[in-house]
Amino acid sequence: YTVLGSFGQYFDSPRTMDVEVKAADSYTQVRVPFGFRFPDEQIDLEQGVDNVCKLIGPETICCGETEDGRKVTVQLVGALLGQSLRDFVPHTYSHMGLWLCKDFIRIERNNEILEKVFRGQYYYRSLLLFANCQELDLTANRNNIRKDQEEFDVAVEGIQSICQRIWEDDFVQGYFSARKRADNQEAENKRKKQENDRKEQKSRQREERINQYKGRASLNSENLSGAPVKEPRNEAETAILLQAMISSRHPGIDFVIGDYNTTRGVDMVVEILDKNIPSIKWAEIVYSLSNLFKWSHPPEGYHLVVCYELGNIGEKEQFPDGSEARLVPKEVPGRYAILVGSDSLDVYVLREILHATK
């Protein structure tokens, strides 16, 4: 954006400048070369589209005259660049495309002109074009081109005509066709790699799961039909074990499941004899009883709890709503009561019930 980046040498401009810089705390000077230069031309598509550099221009075009007879001239130079030859461009998204210039210094990027001719934004990242016009006026801060002048409109028409010729060039058309094929192939390769990675990840997860399964403790499931082979590790496996105990008429379970749904609040509706009176009650299933005090289930929403193990739980606990609870063992092995105020929740600990009948 300074005279040091001038591309005037492409149009035999005699202007030059020697610049050296050094850090404030160093005596070592570094020379900064004068003038902007494109990479060497390489137009063999057989070497891959990423390695292409097709120089465009330098070309001077008379765009016409304004109503008051002022001639407008544009000097254009640029290059069609493959991806591997864009390293000298700091940010291709914000720096590639068409630049309007004055005094052979970049002033303002205007890709609307390119997109109008090329009919799309896909193409500008492969092009770096400098269009210099001395008849253009700059804004007060010299960071933009004034667009409210006839010279600007005349210059844009001339630049569009040059861009049209660039677009219709056989090599440029061949490059973009090859570029699209390469992009499509790259996308396909990426899709295949993602699919292979997904399959490999799934395979690793399954292998890890099998290894974890083999390392789990076996369940004491004598006299149980349809029980899990390993000790439960989650709520679903706890529910499977509970049903196996019910189906096998295990003496430690004195109710049957009437309704089971984990998406509608409390997990189960069970049928039980309460003092020899048939009753319907709400029941919650957890793998570890300690989990019960981490969830937002209000304790008044259910009557009994089924878990596989007690977990890290103390004699006194607190529900998330602040309710104080006390765990009291019953005389029957594996049976407890959670006392919450004047209410009592029955607790069935399946591991202890199974061990008691071993």
Side-chain angles (χ1 to χ4, degrees):
Y1 296 102
T2 70
V3 67
L4 192 63
S6 167
F7 56 93
Q9 74 275 7
Y10 285 103
F11 298 93
D12 299 323
S13 172
R15 190 174 192 178
T16 186
M17 178 182 290
D18 294 325
V19 174
E20 291 182 341
V21 297
K22 71 180 182 66
D25 58 352
S26 171
Y27 293 100
T28 303
Q29 293 183 328
V30 178
R31 184 177 181 277
V32 182
F34 175 82
F36 176 90
R37 286 172 175 80
F38 289 99
D40 294 336
E41 189 170 61
Q42 197 294 109
I43 57 174
D44 184 3
L45 287 173
E46 294 298 323
Q47 295 186 28
V49 291
D50 286 344
N51 300 313
V52 164
C53 176
K54 167 67 173 174
L55 297 180
I56 298 170
E59 178 179 0
T60 300
I61 180 172
C62 295
C63 302
E65 298 181 358
T66 62
E67 290 184 358
D68 58 5
R70 187 182 184 190
K71 292 183 178 180
V72 178
T73 302
V74 169
Q75 295 158 305
L76 185 138
V77 66
L80 177 69
L81 297 167
Q83 189 167 343
S84 65
L85 296 181
R86 303 174 197 165
D87 294 343
F88 65 95
V89 181
H91 304 287
T92 56
Y93 279 107
S94 56
H95 286 178
M96 292 293 284
L98 173 66
W99 286 86
L100 301 180
C101 312
K102 187 168 183 176
D103 297 323
F104 302 110
I105 299 172
R106 289 184 301 169
I107 304 296
E108 178 183 336
R109 193 172 71 150
N110 190 325
N111 283 338
E112 293 180 1
I113 298 174
L114 274 181
E115 293 169 10
K116 183 176 181 180
V117 174
F118 287 22
R119 296 178 180 85
Q121 299 180 359
Y122 171 82
Y123 306 96
Y124 80 84
R125 289 193 65 203
S126 296
L127 288 163
L128 184 59
L129 300 174
F130 300 146
N132 187 76
C133 181
Q134 293 302 113
E135 288 73 43
L136 295 177
D137 285 339
L138 306 185
T139 56
N141 61 11
R142 302 187 66 80
N143 287 333
N144 299 98
I145 304 291
R146 284 186 54 194
K147 298 177 176 62
D148 58 347
Q149 57 171 170
E150 189 180 355
E151 287 84 353
F152 175 81
D153 297 332
V154 175
V156 167
E157 283 190 28
I159 295 170
Q160 284 180 345
S161 66
I162 299 175
C163 291
Q164 186 66 42
R165 282 194 282 110
I166 294 172
W167 173 242
E168 294 172 354
D169 181 82
D170 290 341
F171 181 85
V172 173
Q173 288 289 317
Y175 167 83
F176 281 121
S177 295
R179 174 78 270 169
K180 282 191 174 181
R181 289 195 298 271
D183 288 346
N184 291 338
Q185 185 61 52
E186 182 180 354
E188 178 63 16
N189 293 341
K190 183 177 180 180
R191 185 195 65 78
K192 289 181 178 179
K193 183 179 183 304
Q194 289 175 339
E195 179 65 18
N196 289 335
D197 291 346
R198 186 190 65 80
K199 290 180 179 179
E200 290 178 5
Q201 182 183 22
K202 190 173 184 179
S203 177
R204 288 194 301 268
Q205 289 173 342
R206 287 186 173 184
E207 183 178 356
E208 181 181 352
R209 183 176 174 184
I210 291 297
N211 290 335
Q212 291 176 346
Y213 172 77
K214 290 179 178 178
R216 288 169 56 178
S218 297
L219 179 70
N220 173 30
S221 57
E222 295 180 9
N223 302 320
L224 290 185
S225 175
V229 177
K230 303 288 187 177
E231 287 191 347
R233 288 279 186 87
N234 53 52
E235 180 180 317
E237 292 176 351
T238 302
I240 293 173
L241 173 59
L242 172 63
Q243 182 57 53
M245 294 173 71
I246 293 174
S247 299
S248 303
R249 300 183 182 279
H250 193 285
I253 307 298
D254 56 1
F255 61 83
V256 295
I257 299 173
D259 176 87
Y260 178 71
N261 192 318
T262 60
T263 64
R264 299 178 64 182
V266 182
D267 295 328
M268 294 188 302
V269 174
V270 300
E271 294 187 16
I272 188 172
L273 288 176
D274 188 359
K275 299 177 182 179
N276 292 322
I277 300 175
S279 302
I280 293 178
K281 294 188 177 183
W282 293 101
E284 189 71 34
I285 292 185
V286 288
Y287 161 67
S288 171
L289 186 63
S290 58
N291 291 339
L292 188 72
F293 298 94
K294 300 176 183 178
W295 300 341
S296 58
H297 296 303
E300 68 271 11
Y302 43 90
H303 306 97
L304 59 91
V305 180
V306 179
C307 64
Y308 181 68
E309 63 178 21
L310 289 175
N312 185 20
I313 189 172
E315 182 182 349
K316 293 183 178 180
E317 294 288 343
Q318 188 177 61
F319 285 97
D321 66 354
S323 302
E324 297 287 343
R326 187 161 63 94
L327 182 66
V328 179
K330 293 186 176 182
E331 295 181 358
V332 180
R335 296 288 302 276
Y336 295 80
I338 295 177
L339 304 181
V340 186
S342 59
D343 295 328
S344 175
L345 304 177
D346 289 327
V347 178
Y348 296 72
V349 184
L350 301 187
R351 170 185 268 175
E352 296 183 14
I353 294 173
L354 288 175
H355 286 183
T357 57
K358 186 174 180 181

